[in-house]
Amino acid sequence: MASLEIKRIAKTFGAQSVLPGISLEVPDKEFVVILGPSGCGKSTLLRIVAGLEIASAGSVSFGGAPVDHLSPGQRNVAMVFQNYALYPHLSVAANIGFGLRRATLSRKEKRAAVQEIARLLEIESLLDRRPSELSGGQRQRVAMGRAIIRKPAVFLFDEPLSNLDARLRLQMRAEIRALHRKLPTTTLYVTHDQVEAMTMADRVVVMREGRIEQIGTPDEIYCAPQSIFVAQFIGMPAMNIVSARLDRSNSALTIAGERFAMPEFWPDEKALDGEVTLGLRPEHLSLSRTGAGLRANVDQIEPMGSETLVYLYHHGTRLCARTPPETRLASGSEVKLGLNLNRAVLFDPVTQKALYRPNPYESTTGETQWK
Amino acid sequence: MVRSRGERLSDIAVYLAMALLALVFLLPILWLLSLALRTQAEVFLGAARFIPEAPTLDNFASVLRDGGFQSYIWNTVKLSALGAAGAVGFAAPAAYAFSRFSFRGKGAMMLGILSVQMVSGLVILIPLYRMLDRLGLLESHFGTTLLYIAAGVPVTIWLLKIAFDTIPQSLDDAAAIDGLSRLESFLLITLPLAAPGLISAFILNLILNWSQFLIPFIMLSADEKWPISVAIFRFAGASSAATTQLLAAACLLAILPALAVFVILQRWILAALMAGAVKD
Ligand SMILES: Nc1ncnc2c1ncn2[C@@H]1O[C@H](COP(=O)(O)OP(=O)(O)O)[C@@H](O)[C@H]1O
Ligand SMILES: [Mg+2]
C-alpha cells in the first residue's frame, strides 16, 4: 500500500520527446485511469513507473520514497499487459505463483496462496492448464492473478481489455472494479477507451502529446472539460462546439445572429466578453419544429434504441442532439435547436482553454430562456 | 474433385523433374551400394556389372566388426555433438543480445558475423594451424571441438536471433516485474520458449559437423583420433582395389547415422513448429 508520486518525468527516444515533463500524484488506494489517444505516451509513462523504462529526467516515488534506482522486481509493482504476457510454457498455477519465487514461503504456503487467488478469480479449475488452452477472458484473469498474488504497492494496467470482445470487456470492467474494492490498491490504469475511463476511474487523467490536459473525476471530465480537446475527446458523440459572441452589457449571447439570454450565474469577468467558443453536450440540445432557437438542417439520424442521435448542420457546423428514441426526422428537414446554456462550457477561441465551466455536481434544472 | 487434363500433365512434369534430380543425387549412392554388396571378385568387373550377381552383406559385417571403424564413428559422434552443443551454447547469449538490446553498430556487427561465415576454411588454414600449434591444441579432440564451435557459431547466432525475435518482449517485461534478473529471464523464459529454434540449430550444426573434413584433417594425424570422414579419405588413398568393397560399405555406414538423425529429428522439429503455430 502506497501513494504514487510522479515528479516532472521526461522521456526522449533519440530526438523524439515523448514526455516533456509530467507530474501526477495518486493517493493511496486510488484508481486512476490515464486516458489519451494512442501514441500520446501513456505506455511510456506506465513503463517508467514500473521501472521497465529509464526516465530521461524526473523522479517516481512510492509512499514518499524515490524508487528510481530500483529494478522493476524491487519496486513491488504488478503489471497487466495488453497481450497478457503469460508464460506459455508454464501452467496457470505456475504463472500465478511465478512472482512468489523469491518470497520466503514454503512450497505449501505458496500453493495455498495460488489456490486462494484462483478462488478469488474463479479459475480454480484451470490451474493445470497451459495459457494456450484458455479463452481471452480466462487469460485475462490469470494475468490479474499473477499481478495480485504479490500484494503489490502499485498496480499497473496497460490497456488490459483491448483484446477482448465487447461483451467480455463489459464484464471484465466490472470485475476489475470489484477486485479493487476487495483489495484496495493504488492503481494506474492506461486506456484509450473513454468508456473504461468513465466507468472505472476514481479520477481520470486525460493525456495529449505527452502532457496532462486535465485531471478530474469522470463527472468533471465529462461536464466541465478544461479544453476543447478534452471536450471533444470525451463523450460519444463528442461535445458540440460552436462559435458565439458574448455581450455583457446586454447579457446576451449571439450565435450566427441568433440571440440567447446569458445565464445570470455566469461570472462577471472581462474574459467573458466578445468572441467565445461554446461547448454543449448533445443531451443539452433539444429539437422542435417551430419556436425559438437555432435554425438547423437534419443531416442524418441514428436510432440507438434507448435514444436517437440527430446530426444536424447549422451554418456549416455539424452538431449532434440526443433525443427521445421515437424521434424520426427526414434528412434535410429544417428544425429549431434549443440550447440548455446552463450546462454550457465557454472556451477561449485562441488558447482553446475553458473560460467558464459549470459545476458538474450542482443540478441546474433551470429552463433555457429565450429572447 | 475433378482435375483438368492440363493440371494432370503439369503434375507429371513436376514428378519427372524431381525424379531426375533425385537420380543425380542417388546415383553415387547407388554406385556405393553396388560396390558394397559385391564380393572381391566382382569388384574387378567395375561398372560392367551394376547389379552384383552374388550380393553379399559380408562387407558391412566386417566393417561393423572392425575396431577401427567403431572408433572413427565414435570420434565423429563426439566431435559433432560437442561442437554442435558448444556452438549453440556460445551463440545463444550473443543472439540474445542482438535480439533484445539496442547498441551502436548492431547492424554492422550482424553483417560482420555473417561475412565471417563466407570466408572459406582453406583461406585461413595455415594461420589457424600455426595458432593452434602455439596454443598446444593440435592433435587433441579439445582443440578440434573448439574449431568446430568457431565454425558453427556465426550462422548459429543468426538462427537463434531469429528464434529469439519471435518471443514477445512483453514476456521479458513480465519476468522483470516478477523479479527476475536478465540472466534468469534468459534462462527461465527465453531459452525454454526458444527450444524448437535451439534444437533446429543444434541439429543443423550436428549435420554440418558430421561431414566436416578440413578441420580434423589438419588437426589430427593420429589414426585413433580420426573421425570417419578423415579415415575414409586416408584409406581411399592408401588402399588397393582389394578393399574397395569394404570402403564402400564403410562410406554407406558413415552416411546412415546422419541421415537417421535428420529424418527422425526433423519430424520432431516440424511437430514443435506446428504446435507453436496453432497457439497464439
Ligand atoms: N522504445 C521506443 N523507442 C522509440 N520510440 C518509442 C519507444 N517506445 C515508444 N516510442 C514512441 O513514443 C510515443 C509514445 O508511445 P506510447 O507510450 O507507446 O504511446 P501510447 O501508449 O499512448 O499509445 C510513440 O510515438 C512511440 O512511437
Ligand atoms: Mg500503449
Side-chain angles (χ1 to χ4, degrees):
Chain A
M1 304 289 141
S3 60
L4 163 66
E5 198 178 352
I6 296 169
K7 262 184 275 179
R8 290 190 298 284
I9 285 288
K11 179 70 185 174
T12 53
F13 288 112
Q16 185 195 9
S17 168
V18 173
L19 301 173
I22 205 166
S23 297
L24 175 66
E25 279 182 44
V26 182
D28 191 18
K29 299 184 177 128
E30 194 175 60
F31 196 113
V32 166
V33 173
I34 299 181
L35 174 68
S38 110
C40 73
K42 305 182 297 289
S43 296
T44 304
L45 181 62
L46 205 65
R47 293 170 59 81
I48 288 171
V49 172
L52 293 170
E53 206 84 62
I54 307 293
S56 311
S59 166
V60 175
S61 305
F62 293 170
V67 294
D68 304 291
H69 58 289
L70 297 178
S71 72
Q74 294 165 328
R75 289 186 186 196
N76 194 22
V77 295
M79 189 156 170
V80 177
F81 299 84
Q82 179 174 352
N83 64 359
Y84 319 126
L86 300 176
Y87 308 119
H89 58 306
L90 301 179
S91 70
V92 166
N95 264 282
I96 294 176
F98 205 78
L100 291 181
R101 282 174 352 105
R102 283 280 163 72
T104 51
L105 295 173
S106 71
R107 191 175 283 264
K108 210 172 136 193
E109 286 170 315
K110 284 181 190 173
R111 191 151 353 107
V114 170
Q115 278 291 344
E116 189 195 322
I117 296 293
R119 195 159 37 243
L120 186 70
L121 294 168
E122 295 170 15
I123 49 174
E124 288 157 289
S125 60
L126 307 177
L127 284 176
D128 294 328
R129 295 211 198 154
R130 290 288 168 94
S132 59
E133 298 165 322
L134 303 180
S135 71
Q138 290 168 334
R139 285 179 208 190
Q140 181 67 64
R141 277 195 204 135
V142 175
M144 289 205 302
R146 179 174 67 180
I148 58 185
I149 196 164
R150 280 183 312 151
K151 306 191 165 57
V154 175
F155 226 144
L156 305 170
F157 290 87
D158 193 354
E159 314 221 4
L161 305 185
S162 50
N163 282 357
L164 300 178
D165 62 47
R167 183 188 295 266
L168 208 49
R169 213 177 304 165
L170 192 91
Q171 182 188 339
M172 293 307 296
R173 275 201 322 250
E175 283 188 24
I176 292 176
R177 269 314 307 200
L179 197 66
H180 184 257
R181 269 195 302 277
K182 267 187 246 175
L183 308 167
T185 307
T186 312
T187 301
L188 216 49
Y189 183 109
V190 160
T191 182
H192 67 266
D193 180 346
Q194 51 168 302
V195 179
E196 280 170 35
M198 297 296 290
T199 54
M200 300 174 79
D202 293 328
R203 279 194 307 156
V204 180
V205 175
V206 182
M207 255 178 91
R208 177 195 191 186
E209 289 169 9
R211 292 169 211 278
I212 292 180
E213 195 78 9
Q214 183 170 359
I215 303 178
T217 63
D219 290 327
E220 284 164 359
I221 297 279
Y222 185 80
C223 301
Q226 249 160 15
S227 64
I228 295 182
F229 173 80
V230 176
Q232 298 216 288
F233 188 67
I234 307 288
M236 285 184 299
M239 187 178 258
N240 295 298
I241 299 294
V242 189
S243 297
R245 225 195 124 69
L246 269 178
D247 182 359
R248 285 230 73 91
S249 46
N250 292 318
S251 265
L253 177 91
T254 319
I255 300 171
E258 208 79 38
R259 278 170 65 102
F260 297 88
M262 248 177 72
E264 58 262 25
F265 54 82
W266 282 4
D268 187 9
E269 281 169 24
K270 207 159 154 261
L272 288 182
D273 206 18
E275 298 299 326
V276 294
T277 300
L278 186 77
L280 267 179
R281 292 279 169 207
E283 52 270 35
H284 300 131
L285 302 187
S286 55
L287 299 188
S288 61
R289 290 212 184 269
T290 54
L294 295 178
R295 267 226 305 264
N297 291 92
V298 175
D299 178 33
Q300 68 182 88
I301 69 168
E302 280 182 359
M304 310 290 288
S306 60
E307 65 195 21
T308 294
L309 298 175
V310 181
Y311 293 89
L312 318 107
Y313 276 107
H314 167 258
H315 286 271
T317 307
R318 198 160 194 260
L319 302 173
C320 179
R322 210 183 284 278
T323 67
E326 59 276 9
T327 309
R328 291 293 181 270
L329 287 164
S331 136
S333 54
E334 196 182 294
V335 293
K336 289 298 180 79
L337 267 183
L339 313 179
N340 180 359
L341 289 181
N342 290 332
R343 302 313 260 152
V345 189
L346 299 176
F347 300 100
D348 184 320
V350 178
T351 64
Q352 312 255 304
K353 299 290 176 208
L355 297 170
Y356 167 77
R357 304 183 295 144
N359 182 344
Y361 298 109
E362 210 165 74
S363 117
T364 45
T365 46
E367 289 294 316
T368 320
Q369 295 161 36
W370 307 100
K371 258 202 177 165
Chain B
M1 198 159 74
V2 185
R3 312 199 57 199
S4 76
R5 230 179 113 89
E7 263 179 281
R8 212 167 328 144
L9 276 181
S10 82
D11 273 2
I12 291 171
V14 167
Y15 277 111
L16 271 181
M18 295 217 294
L20 210 64
L21 203 67
L23 200 66
V24 170
F25 284 101
L26 273 177
L27 217 54
I29 292 182
L30 289 176
W31 178 237
L32 271 181
L33 188 65
S34 160
L35 283 173
L37 292 174
R38 295 180 197 197
T39 58
Q40 194 176 342
E42 273 189 303
V43 168
F44 292 112
L45 293 174
R49 182 173 287 168
F50 188 73
I51 298 170
E53 233 162 47
T56 172
L57 291 174
D58 285 356
N59 298 324
F60 290 103
S62 49
V63 167
L64 283 174
R65 265 198 306 274
D66 185 80
F69 178 80
Q70 289 168 11
S71 130
Y72 301 139
I73 288 287
W74 168 240
N75 288 339
T76 314
V77 169
K78 184 175 147 192
L79 288 171
S80 303
L82 289 178
V88 171
F90 277 101
Y96 185 77
F98 279 120
S99 169
R100 289 302 196 259
F101 303 141
S102 56
F103 47 88
R104 214 179 288 273
K106 181 161 136 178
M109 273 175 84
M110 286 294 289
L111 280 180
I113 284 169
L114 198 64
S115 64
V116 167
Q117 193 82 39
M118 291 170 185
V119 176
S120 160
L122 285 167
V123 177
I124 52 165
L125 201 60
I126 291 166
L128 203 59
Y129 181 86
R130 290 240 179 124
M131 191 175 85
L132 283 145
D133 190 17
R134 279 281 175 81
L135 292 170
L137 292 172
L138 288 181
E139 302 299 334
S140 73
H141 275 174
F142 177 68
T144 311
T145 307
L146 287 185
L147 289 190
Y148 275 43
I149 293 173
V153 155
V155 76
T156 310
I157 289 178
W158 270 81
L159 281 177
L160 293 184
K161 178 193 181 280
I162 292 164
F164 293 156
D165 281 347
T166 63
I167 298 168
Q169 302 250 4
S170 59
L171 290 180
D172 298 20
D173 294 340
I177 283 178
D178 276 337
L180 269 67
S181 67
R182 263 290 170 191
L183 182 63
E184 288 172 314
S185 142
F186 171 62
L187 295 176
L188 296 178
I189 307 295
T190 316
L191 281 188
L193 289 174
L198 292 172
I199 290 170
S200 321
F202 178 81
I203 291 169
L204 184 82
N205 273 282
L206 203 64
I207 289 166
L208 288 177
N209 290 349
W210 193 272
S211 56
Q212 179 59 261
F213 171 74
L214 214 50
I215 292 171
F217 183 68
I218 64 154
M219 290 288 293
L220 308 166
S221 61
D223 180 305
E224 74 272 10
K225 294 207 168 133
W226 288 342
I228 189 73
S229 56
V230 174
I232 287 174
F233 176 79
R234 299 260 186 188
F235 281 120
S239 65
S240 62
T243 53
T244 300
Q245 73 282 12
L246 290 176
L247 205 55
C251 281
L252 281 177
L253 287 172
I255 297 171
L256 222 54
L259 213 63
V261 163
F262 186 75
V263 169
I264 296 168
L265 293 189
Q266 191 205 30
R267 283 207 170 170
W268 191 91
I269 294 172
L270 211 63
L273 290 180
M274 291 308 284
V278 175
K279 283 182 208 153
D280 48 314

